Amino acid sequence: YDLVTAADVLCYFGDLTAVMQSFEKVLAPGGDLIFSVETLEGDFNWVMQAVERYAHDRAYVARTAEAVGLEVVEQKDFMPRTESGYDVKGTLHVLHKRAR
């Protein structure tokens, strides 16, 4: 595929390595992957939150992407939704599979 998107999906996965490997396999050379995760601020790669969704550290996402052969194009903070009257902090990730 030239483009794969996953909005508000990867918050149900902790370790993203296998998921990103799967995305990398289906992306055509030169293709892009765009997805969102809830943002983790701290010293961990990911954590299960009290709301039973995972939050991910942006540096962890970047390291994992590079490890599976995807280049980080952009990581942008945004608010994917509000929950119980509070904004949920998220990060939109844009990754690219280099053309061979």
Side-chain angles (χ1 to χ4, degrees):
Y1 296 99
D2 293 326
L3 176 64
V4 174
T5 62
D8 210 18
V9 173
L10 299 185
C11 57
Y12 298 102
F13 296 84
D15 185 352
L16 297 179
T17 304
V19 175
M20 282 202 206
Q21 287 170 334
S22 295
F23 287 146
E24 190 278 334
K25 287 180 183 176
V26 300
L27 277 172
D32 295 310
L33 168 62
I34 301 171
F35 65 93
S36 63
V37 295
E38 294 184 21
T39 304
L40 173 64
E41 297 172 357
D43 296 328
F44 299 97
N45 292 332
W46 70 86
V47 296
M48 170 63 84
Q49 304 173 97
V51 294
E52 298 185 359
R53 290 188 306 268
Y54 289 95
H56 295 85
D57 176 69
R58 65 176 37 220
Y60 161 73
V61 173
R63 285 190 310 274
T64 305
E66 292 290 337
V68 303
L70 298 172
E71 173 185 7
V72 176
V73 175
E74 186 171 2
Q75 295 177 308
K76 183 176 178 74
D77 293 331
F78 80 118
M79 300 295 175
R81 70 177 129 13
T82 58
E83 189 169 299
S84 300
Y86 296 97
D87 290 335
V88 174
K89 293 181 182 182
T91 307
L92 186 68
H93 297 272
V94 180
L95 308 179
H96 180 76
K97 182 175 180 176
R98 295 174 189 91
R100 295 182 182 178

